[in-house]
Amino acid sequence: MATASVAFKSREDHRKQLELEEARKAGLAPAEVDEDGKEINPHIPQYMSSAPWYLNAERPSLKHQRKWKSDPNYTKSWYDRGAKIFQAEKYRKGACENCGAMTHDAKSCMERPRKKGAKWTSMHIAPDEKIETFELDYDGKRDRWNGYDASTYARVIERYEARDEARRKYLKEQQLKKLEEKNSKNDGEGGEVSDEDEDDDEDALKVDEAKVDESKQMDFAKVEKRVRTTGGGSTGTVRNLRIREDTAKYLLNLDVNSAYYDPKTRSMREDPLPDADPNEKFYGGDNQYRQSGQALEFKQLNIHAWEAFDKGQDVHMQAAPSQAELLFRNYKVIKEKLKTKTKDTIMEKYGNAATEEDIPMELLLGQSERQVEYDRAGRIIKGMETSLPKSKYEEDVFINNHTTVWGSWWMDHQWGYKCCKQTIRNSYCTGAAGIEAAEAATDLMKSNIARKASEDAPAPPAEEKKHVTWGTDVPEDLVLDEKRLTEALKKEDEKRREEKDERKRKYNVRWNDEVTAEEMEAYRMKRVHHDDPMKDFLN
């Protein structure tokens, strides 16, 4: 907003006007009012009739330009740590039962639990803590360093300074020790220290500037290459080791049918000049590098890692290359030891024909002191008895006083010793007495088995005596009571009527297992004979 300049008659009038405005701001001079009695704002030009809504010189005029949510109750102070307000001399009602402070209870007491609390002893009453309550604003609640005392960091600095001081002291002691050893050594050799040794020590501390300059010149030409991106990204410096005077591999042989050159990967696997002298060739194809030197070792390392993984080893060449290389080294060492051990074993058993040891004359001439007699047919009569073949197992070894070997006796599908006829491998030999005792025990056991079998033999089955009333054949001499038979016939008729009509059947049915001869005779007389052709005319 442009303001109009006010014209003054002189420089003195301008100065007086400025002093008056300063006095009004300080409250030392009455404010200037207009015709309506309203106070005139000195920051508003006199030609403006009233101040606009957005202009207020006393405070920020717009709402978003001031902290309109600020509360004067908010504070940025923090708790006074460790402050105490009152020290009581005796226990007060409602105080902590452990220490005696009024500001907390026994459950939240931070002192060590006493054997007898202050409530019962009224001694060593703890002072009351200073309890403060703050109403923090938004920033105060989220301030990480609120209440932090910067002076506490001095302890950290002191600890590090003490560590550095101890390190310097230790290094100084080591230097003094080395100097004493050097002086004692020089004193033993005559006490003379050559100037050449001092010059060597000084030269060892200096850096060879010539080597530094030479290393700077070894950079050749640096090539910037894009890494892992198509259009851009991080770059890496790759040193180009090819000298400009070298002939490119695709120019070594211009024949069209010579080794193929791949321009994308810049590789030529075959030898471009296979007929040239190997001593004069500088380049023999990429396969030459792949099949020689460390490339071949790396290939073997990869193959070993694959085979080890297939056999159950937890090894991966890309995930843990150091582990794979260490495993491959151990494998080569163990393989070499095994090969050497096998070779030594074979040479120890069969000998080494390449050695310089002289062969005995007995073997060269085939002569010996053994006398052999032959007959006219060429058969051996005396002197060279045929030796029995030996096995790898021990033979004719008798243990536990046995006179025969294990397996010399067989009985009931069990091996044993023939001398004592025992079938237990680690048994002690008992001889003929043991055999007699075993036979006597066997005979006794057989007799006991036979006696037990005779005792346990089942008794002959007893004849079952059936009651005459249940049988099918009624004896002729059976005498029945006519009165009881008549009652039994009536009961049988009632029973059959109940079976025909379910309504007449009683709810509680009683069953009687005792059957008399008359009841059995009534049952036979009333029974329906299904094979009787006249059964339908009985009733």
Side-chain angles (χ1 to χ4, degrees):
M1 182 182 67
T3 57
S5 61
V6 181
F8 296 98
K9 294 181 179 181
S10 62
R11 184 175 294 177
E12 185 67 15
D13 295 338
H14 189 200
R15 185 180 59 78
K16 289 181 180 180
Q17 182 67 25
L18 292 176
E19 291 177 357
L20 181 61
E21 290 177 1
E22 294 292 336
R24 286 172 180 169
K25 289 181 181 179
L28 301 176
E32 187 177 1
V33 297
D34 56 4
E35 297 177 354
D36 298 332
K38 295 181 179 180
E39 183 179 356
I40 298 175
N41 194 335
H43 297 282
I44 302 175
Q46 297 300 321
Y47 66 89
M48 297 179 64
S49 61
S50 62
W53 60 271
Y54 54 82
L55 185 59
N56 192 348
E58 300 298 330
R59 53 191 175 86
S61 59
L62 299 179
K63 191 176 183 180
H64 68 274
Q65 292 178 347
R66 63 179 182 271
K67 295 180 180 179
W68 59 279
K69 274 190 176 181
S70 61
D71 192 343
N73 297 327
Y74 290 151
T75 179
K76 291 186 177 180
S77 58
W78 198 247
Y79 303 100
D80 191 3
R81 297 181 179 177
K84 310 294 182 182
I85 55 176
F86 179 72
Q87 175 71 51
E89 296 180 357
K90 63 180 182 178
Y91 181 77
R92 295 160 292 175
K93 185 178 180 180
C96 176
E97 297 180 357
N98 184 42
C99 65
M102 287 289 294
T103 51
H104 63 269
D105 55 357
K107 187 176 181 180
S108 57
C109 185
M110 299 298 294
E111 284 196 9
R112 178 182 60 83
R114 303 181 184 180
K115 188 175 182 180
K116 289 185 178 181
K119 179 180 179 180
W120 296 277
T121 59
S122 293
M123 296 174 61
H124 305 290
I125 305 298
D128 300 342
E129 295 93 352
K130 183 179 180 182
I131 298 178
E132 299 174 286
T133 305
F134 300 113
E135 189 175 358
L136 302 175
D137 56 355
Y138 182 85
D139 295 332
K141 292 177 182 177
R142 291 156 179 80
D143 189 5
R144 294 178 58 197
W145 300 96
N146 198 353
Y148 175 72
D149 187 6
S151 61
T152 57
Y153 191 70
R155 296 183 228 164
V156 181
I157 298 175
E158 291 175 359
R159 185 168 68 250
Y160 277 92
E161 287 179 351
R163 187 191 66 180
D164 295 341
E165 183 66 25
R167 182 181 295 173
R168 285 193 295 268
K169 185 176 180 181
Y170 175 75
L171 293 175
K172 191 172 181 180
E173 291 177 356
Q174 294 295 326
Q175 291 178 358
L176 291 175
K177 189 175 180 181
K178 288 182 180 179
L179 288 175
E180 290 177 359
E181 291 177 356
K182 186 176 181 181
N183 293 334
S184 61
K185 184 178 180 181
N186 293 334
D187 293 341
E189 292 178 357
E192 296 180 359
V193 180
S194 61
D195 296 337
E196 295 180 357
D197 296 340
E198 294 181 357
D199 295 340
D200 292 341
D201 295 339
E202 293 179 358
D203 293 340
L205 299 176
K206 295 180 181 179
V207 181
D208 193 351
E209 297 180 358
K211 292 183 179 180
V212 173
D213 295 336
E214 184 180 355
S215 64
K216 290 181 180 179
Q217 295 174 2
M218 290 291 288
D219 287 342
F220 301 109
K222 291 185 178 180
V223 180
E224 300 288 340
K225 288 189 177 182
R226 298 287 178 180
V227 181
R228 295 194 186 97
T229 53
T230 56
S234 60
T235 59
T237 302
V238 181
R239 181 178 294 178
N240 188 6
L241 298 178
R242 186 179 69 85
I243 305 175
R244 291 293 179 182
E245 288 76 10
D246 291 344
T247 306
K249 60 179 72 173
Y250 53 85
L251 297 178
L252 294 176
N253 191 352
L254 300 178
D255 188 2
V256 180
N257 298 323
S258 64
Y260 174 72
Y261 174 76
D262 187 10
K264 184 175 182 180
T265 58
R266 297 182 182 179
S267 60
M268 182 181 288
R269 298 172 184 262
E270 299 179 3
D271 188 1
L273 300 172
D275 300 330
D277 187 6
N279 298 324
E280 297 179 358
K281 282 196 302 185
F282 177 75
Y283 178 74
D286 293 342
N287 289 338
Q288 179 184 3
Y289 302 118
R290 295 183 180 180
Q291 298 175 359
S292 62
Q294 295 182 350
L296 187 59
E297 296 179 0
F298 185 73
K299 182 179 179 181
Q300 295 176 353
L301 177 59
N302 276 322
I303 295 173
H304 175 264
W306 298 336
E307 293 177 351
F309 182 79
D310 292 339
K311 293 178 180 179
Q313 291 285 343
D314 187 11
V315 60
H316 196 279
M317 186 60 197
Q318 281 70 34
S322 301
Q323 179 188 5
E325 187 173 358
L326 182 60
L327 187 65
F328 183 55
R329 288 182 182 177
N330 295 339
Y331 165 75
K332 290 194 294 185
V333 171
I334 295 173
K335 183 179 179 181
E336 189 65 27
K337 288 183 178 179
L338 184 62
K339 189 186 295 184
T340 306
K341 184 179 179 181
T342 306
K343 182 179 177 181
D344 295 341
T345 305
I346 294 173
M347 292 180 64
E348 182 180 356
K349 186 174 183 180
Y350 299 103
N352 187 7
T355 56
E356 297 181 356
E357 297 179 359
D358 296 335
I359 301 175
M361 296 300 294
E362 293 81 4
L363 296 178
L364 287 175
L365 303 177
Q367 296 178 357
S368 64
E369 299 297 330
R370 181 179 299 175
Q371 183 179 359
V372 182
E373 296 181 3
Y374 300 91
D375 58 0
R376 293 183 178 181
R379 292 186 294 268
I380 298 176
I381 300 173
K382 183 182 177 183
M384 189 178 291
E385 291 77 10
T386 56
S387 60
L388 297 174
K390 296 286 186 180
S391 66
K392 64 178 182 180
Y393 303 102
E394 294 181 348
E395 296 182 6
D396 299 333
V397 176
F398 308 115
I399 60 173
N400 296 336
N401 203 27
H402 288 286
T403 56
T404 56
V405 296
W406 169 260
S408 59
W409 184 63
W410 169 265
M411 184 177 180
D412 296 337
H413 303 282
Q414 288 183 338
W415 292 103
Y417 294 99
K418 187 178 180 180
C419 56
C420 58
K421 295 185 180 180
Q422 294 194 52
T423 56
I424 300 174
R425 179 79 181 263
N426 295 325
S427 62
Y428 193 81
C429 184
T430 56
I435 296 173
E436 294 177 357
E439 292 177 352
T442 303
D443 297 339
L444 180 61
M445 182 177 63
K446 289 180 179 179
S447 61
N448 291 335
I449 292 173
R451 181 174 55 80
K452 185 69 175 177
S454 62
E455 291 178 358
D456 296 342
E463 295 182 358
E464 186 177 356
K465 296 182 180 179
K466 296 182 181 180
H467 200 274
V468 68
T469 57
W470 290 100
T472 56
D473 298 331
V474 180
E476 296 178 356
D477 57 349
L478 180 63
V479 179
L480 298 175
D481 190 357
E482 294 294 337
K483 188 177 180 180
R484 290 182 181 179
L485 181 60
T486 305
E487 292 177 358
L489 289 171
K490 290 180 181 180
K491 288 181 180 180
E492 190 69 25
D493 293 337
E494 292 177 1
K495 184 178 179 182
R496 289 183 181 278
R497 282 196 298 269
E498 289 179 1
E499 290 178 358
K500 290 181 180 179
D501 191 0
E502 291 289 336
R503 293 176 296 178
K504 294 182 179 181
R505 186 171 65 87
K506 296 181 180 181
Y507 183 75
N508 294 324
V509 180
R510 293 182 181 180
W511 186 264
N512 189 9
D513 292 337
E514 297 178 1
V515 182
T516 61
E518 288 79 9
E519 291 176 352
M520 192 66 191
E521 184 65 24
Y523 169 74
R524 289 194 191 97
M525 293 171 66
K526 297 292 184 180
R527 184 177 59 176
V528 178
H529 297 276
H530 296 282
D531 54 350
D532 188 2
M534 301 298 289
K535 64 181 179 178
D536 296 333
F537 301 98
L538 293 176
N539 298 326

